[in-house]
Amino acid sequence: MKERRTGAREAVLDAIRAAEPLSRVELAAMTGLTEASISTTVRKLLGEGLVVETGRTPTGGKPRTLLRLDPAARIAVGVHLDEDVTTYVLTGQTGGVISRMTRPAAPAGAGAADLVRRLAADVGSLVDGSGVDRVRCLGIGLVGADPRLARDHDLTEATGWPVLLENAATAAAVGEYWVARVEAARPFAALYLGSGLGAGIVAGGEPLRGSHTRAGEFGHLCLQVDGPACWCGSRGCLEALAGPQVVVEAARADPVAAGEAGLGAARSTVADFAAVARAARAGAPACRALLDDSARYVAAAAESLVNLVDVDLLVLTGPGFAAASFVYAPAITARLGPADARTWHRSVSVTVSLAAATASATGAAALVLQEALRSGQQ
Amino acid sequence: MKERRTGAREAVLDAIRAAEPLSRVELAAMTGLTEASISTTVRKLLGEGLVVETGRTPTGGKPRTLLRLDPAARIAVGVHLDEDVTTYVLTGQTGGVISRMTRPAAPAGAGAADLVRRLAADVGSLVDGSGVDRVRCLGIGLVGADPRLARDHDLTEATGWPVLLENAATAAAVGEYWVARVEAARPFAALYLGSGLGAGIVAGGEPLRGSHTRAGEFGHLCLQVDGPACWCGSRGCLEALAGPQVVVEAARADPVAAGEAGLGAARSTVADFAAVARAARAGAPACRALLDDSARYVAAAAESLVNLVDVDLLVLTGPGFAAASFVYAPAITARLGPADARTWHRSVSVTVSLAAATASATGAAALVLQEALRSGQQ
DNA sequence: CCATTATCTTAAGCTGGTGAAGGAACGGCG
DNA sequence: CGCCGTTCCTTCACCAGCTTAAGATAATGG
């Protein structure tokens, strides 16, 4: 009935994650496994402390005992190296943030060794400060890799934890999958607006990575055949037409918009974009117009994505959408409407991530947990 | 080492399909399975007649016995209901076409029952005429579903064979996967140009289908935010800007081009498009200009696809590309070049299907075989 | 206290894989 | 010719993971 792609262990953890609390009978029904099989796998998980029994539901006969994930049974650290800040997140099994920390990004001048030392120290103090036992932490997920961190190996040595690299959009998608409890079988895409535009696509429970782990370059969908040159070397890319850099540059170029948003000395793209979005939200017309213009393009690109991979859920995430989803979400919905109703007979939900600003870091940590817990090697 | 997503049976068949002939030792190395395991699965496959031993390679010690698929051990019928013609293909395990048949499409006025009767009769005579035993045929793959065939059930009843529905582009991709022996792990996309434009995307050995089996609507990538209205209800879709219908209409509207291509009474889009392509190939400048214009858009859309799902192989297929790939393939290659070299550090191969005209029908048959052989139920 | 109902566990068996040891087919060499 | 070593292929014992079938457990209501 329901697909069973790998072991019972994974299926059970996924089911509980998506719809906790659950009894064993319900688990059997959802995963397609036997009650016998559920019984034994659950016993194992109880033994490892990953799952806890909590409460019971009365029925006609023996009441069901409900199962939950123990949020702090295993944890992982997510690190997001952004242009101007580095975000650290400590995440438990349920995707919930146990503690977090933000620090200004390491100066561009600092050497590789310095950067590694700094990250290792921050991660260590985050874990220690959280009160959770160090051995429960399974690893570090790292997003937005700095070229100085080409060898994740270094950070592994410095901290003793395994390190997993991922790109921001894919990590954000996985984070969403955990935090927002997307059903395992449902394909969806997370659109990420940070200093650029990316998409994390999850199909069949697994993120789509492609040949070179470089799937999801949403910002380089072409929206104008002979459009302006993009830094990537092509022309007419979404990012070159309506990316955050373009919005920020346009705002700086227009004295009215710059005034509305209070753009002073050059800061990071992310910070400036957020300033424009805040101004627009407060009613500033010039800033609003800039965002509306950007949203037209983003919406068209979103439609392309939906038509190509056929998802019926789009999650907007990342700092950019955290600040400006009030413009982009309606634009996307409006753009998708006519063709969906007339031709495709589908209805795509567009939602905004609940934790858009930390989505990537959370997702990176979730990926580490997922890898480790599914297979069960300690 | 190599991924092993499901059973040994599937892995072995896939490996042989991709690189026959192979010895058992080589199979063990390629699949990551034990030689012991290979031995037993191969014995089973030999028993079923799916695989045959053929020849041996001398080595230092005991020579290897080579294994091949027996092309005619199991067969399936692929049917492609196109606008104006219906193509029937009888395909063996290796994807090779055993026999084929083309008939004019059933008149639009005919009823559902008529259509089913006609298809059943054609399929029956194809199988019987091929000399292959009827019981070796595992089913019928049907592409380009006519609304009158909404219930594939009817055709199953009329023929006694299971029927599988698929869309043209996905089927073409699977066909390519078989015929051109694409490696199992390599993600790729097949672009299909028929009466419309579609893409079949294969990632992780499985075609990407999406939420509603509607992935791959390549023709509805947006290439111009406020472009011309498309029949789908949106604006600026590739198909509305540069699809085959648009090319044909433009050719008809331009007396020079119409003359070059010899466009007379209205025929099908596919036939007219092929006429334009033939003229262009023969040197007709107006037709060539029309195709060049279309190719600019298709190339940009192909770039979007590559950037979004990260494939490094694009196969052009379908009757449209069969006739006009000499224009489209170079255009796509040229468009991808700059950004691939500068930013993505990848090199995308663009190839033309060897059997572009029958790709869909072959692919549909291949899908039936794949389903049946992998699991081994009869 | 016992029948009823429903949940959960236990025990035996099947399937599909592994690891290690042994048998089979060759060429080369005395 | 017989005896190497070499390499390929098979056999056998075993294990993991899941299923089926039967039984143990915990509540409810007469």
Side-chain angles (χ1 to χ4, degrees):
Chain A
M1 159 168 250
K2 299 302 194 302
E3 295 192 16
R4 180 172 7 110
R5 110 207 63 187
T6 59
R9 192 191 166 85
E10 182 178 332
V12 167
L13 284 172
D14 256 22
I16 303 187
R17 179 193 56 68
E20 105 189 319
L22 284 175
S23 70
R24 290 173 177 76
V25 233
E26 293 166 312
L27 277 172
M30 296 184 62
T31 57
L33 294 162
T34 342
E35 296 184 2
S37 191
I38 297 289
S39 184
T40 50
T41 21
V42 165
R43 183 175 32 250
K44 245 178 267 167
L45 295 174
L46 284 168
E48 294 173 36
L50 298 183
V51 161
V52 288
E53 296 191 328
T54 148
R56 22 188 57 206
T57 6
T59 60
K62 173 175 175 180
R64 307 174 166 179
T65 62
L66 297 176
L67 302 165
R68 279 180 190 284
L69 297 177
D70 177 0
R74 299 291 188 281
I75 58 172
V77 179
V79 182
H80 185 179
L81 301 166
D82 213 343
E83 243 183 317
D84 51 346
V85 296
T86 303
T87 309
Y88 301 86
V89 169
L90 195 65
T91 299
Q93 270 196 100
T94 47
V97 172
I98 295 175
S99 67
R100 51 185 282 189
M101 189 165 89
T102 304
R103 305 201 61 189
D114 263 3
L115 180 59
V116 169
R117 239 194 316 278
R118 187 187 165 121
L119 285 174
D122 287 347
V123 168
S125 66
L126 182 74
V127 174
D128 292 340
S130 73
V132 180
D133 188 350
R134 228 183 150 89
V135 300
R136 290 191 166 179
C137 178
L138 299 180
I140 302 172
L142 190 57
V143 145
D146 191 290
R148 288 169 288 181
L149 274 172
R151 297 178 307 163
D152 49 352
H153 192 58
D154 292 346
L155 189 56
T156 300
E157 271 189 5
T159 59
W161 279 306
V163 174
L164 195 146
L165 292 174
E166 189 54 78
N167 71 59
T170 304
V174 173
E176 204 55 33
Y177 178 62
W178 278 51
V179 176
R181 305 199 173 171
V182 179
E183 297 157 59
R186 190 177 190 194
F188 75 99
L191 303 185
Y192 187 91
L193 181 51
S195 52
L197 271 158
I201 301 167
V202 177
E206 285 297 312
L208 184 73
R209 290 184 220 263
S211 281
H212 313 276
T213 346
R214 205 166 278 140
E217 287 293 350
F218 183 65
H220 299 276
L221 292 191
C222 175
L223 287 171
Q224 197 176 314
V225 175
D226 286 314
C230 176
W231 61 263
C232 74
S234 190
R235 321 196 126 266
C237 295
L238 173 61
E239 229 172 84
L241 289 161
Q245 304 96 329
V246 174
V247 172
V248 167
E249 272 168 36
R252 288 194 173 277
D254 171 3
V256 180
E260 288 174 353
L263 296 181
R267 285 176 303 168
S268 72
T269 307
V270 172
D272 285 347
F273 183 85
V276 173
R278 271 194 307 275
R281 173 157 236 161
C287 285
R288 172 78 200 209
L290 288 173
L291 291 181
D292 279 335
D293 198 48
S294 163
R296 281 174 51 235
Y297 288 95
V298 172
E303 187 177 30
S304 294
L305 184 151
V306 169
N307 284 335
L308 197 60
V309 297
D310 187 23
V311 293
D312 58 10
L313 174 63
L314 287 176
V315 182
L316 306 186
T317 187
F321 284 128
S325 64
F326 71 101
V327 174
Y328 288 90
I332 295 172
T333 308
R335 170 96 201 186
L336 289 168
D340 278 1
R342 191 203 298 191
T343 308
W344 312 121
H345 306 297
R346 74 181 156 209
S347 162
V348 179
S349 323
V350 179
T351 67
V352 183
S353 171
L354 298 173
T358 55
S360 282
T362 305
L367 262 166
V368 172
L369 287 167
Q370 185 164 314
E371 289 286 310
L373 294 180
R374 281 191 172 172
S375 45
Q377 335 103 337
Q378 173 35 251
Chain B
M1 155 170 255
K2 300 300 195 305
E3 293 193 18
R4 182 170 8 110
R5 118 204 56 188
T6 59
R9 192 192 166 84
E10 182 177 333
V12 167
L13 284 173
D14 256 22
I16 303 187
R17 179 191 57 67
E20 87 184 341
L22 284 175
S23 70
R24 291 174 175 73
V25 232
E26 292 166 313
L27 277 173
M30 295 185 63
T31 58
L33 294 162
T34 341
E35 295 184 4
S37 193
I38 296 289
S39 185
T40 51
T41 22
V42 166
R43 187 179 23 253
K44 246 178 266 167
L45 295 174
L46 284 169
E48 294 173 36
L50 297 183
V51 161
V52 288
E53 297 191 328
T54 152
R56 23 188 57 204
T57 351
T59 58
K62 172 176 174 180
R64 306 174 166 179
T65 62
L66 297 176
L67 301 165
R68 280 179 188 282
L69 298 177
D70 178 358
R74 299 291 187 281
I75 58 172
V77 179
V79 182
H80 184 177
L81 300 166
D82 215 342
E83 244 182 317
D84 52 345
V85 295
T86 303
T87 310
Y88 301 86
V89 170
L90 195 65
T91 298
Q93 273 196 98
T94 47
V97 172
I98 295 175
S99 67
R100 51 186 282 191
M101 188 165 87
T102 304
R103 306 200 60 189
D114 262 4
L115 180 60
V116 168
R117 240 194 315 278
R118 187 187 166 119
L119 286 174
D122 287 347
V123 168
S125 66
L126 182 73
V127 174
D128 292 338
S130 73
V132 180
D133 189 350
R134 229 182 149 90
V135 300
R136 291 190 166 177
C137 179
L138 298 179
I140 303 172
L142 190 56
V143 143
D146 190 291
R148 288 169 287 181
L149 274 171
R151 298 178 307 163
D152 48 352
H153 192 58
D154 292 347
L155 190 55
T156 301
E157 270 190 3
T159 60
W161 281 306
V163 174
L164 196 145
L165 292 175
E166 189 53 81
N167 71 58
T170 303
V174 174
E176 205 54 34
Y177 178 63
W178 279 50
V179 175
R181 306 198 173 169
V182 178
E183 296 158 60
R186 191 177 189 194
F188 75 99
L191 303 185
Y192 186 92
L193 179 52
S195 52
L197 271 159
I201 300 167
V202 176
E206 284 298 311
L208 184 72
R209 289 183 220 267
S211 280
H212 312 276
T213 347
R214 205 166 277 143
E217 286 294 348
F218 183 64
H220 299 277
L221 291 192
C222 176
L223 287 171
Q224 196 175 314
V225 175
D226 285 315
C230 176
W231 60 264
C232 76
S234 191
R235 322 196 125 265
C237 296
L238 172 61
E239 231 171 81
L241 290 161
Q245 304 96 328
V246 174
V247 172
V248 168
E249 271 168 36
R252 287 192 173 278
D254 172 3
V256 180
E260 287 174 352
L263 296 180
R267 285 177 301 169
S268 71
T269 306
V270 172
D272 285 347
F273 183 85
V276 173
R278 271 194 307 275
R281 174 157 236 163
C287 284
R288 174 75 201 211
L290 287 174
L291 291 181
D292 280 333
D293 197 47
S294 162
R296 280 174 51 234
Y297 288 95
V298 172
E303 186 177 32
S304 294
L305 184 153
V306 169
N307 284 334
L308 196 61
V309 297
D310 187 23
V311 292
D312 57 10
L313 173 63
L314 286 177
V315 182
L316 305 186
T317 187
F321 285 128
S325 64
F326 70 100
V327 175
Y328 288 91
I332 295 173
T333 308
R335 170 95 200 188
L336 289 169
D340 278 1
R342 191 203 297 187
T343 310
W344 311 121
H345 307 297
R346 75 182 155 207
S347 163
V348 178
S349 323
V350 179
T351 66
V352 182
S353 170
L354 298 172
T358 56
S360 283
T362 306
L367 262 166
V368 172
L369 287 167
Q370 185 164 314
E371 290 285 310
L373 294 180
R374 281 191 173 171
S375 44
Q377 335 105 337
Q378 170 40 250

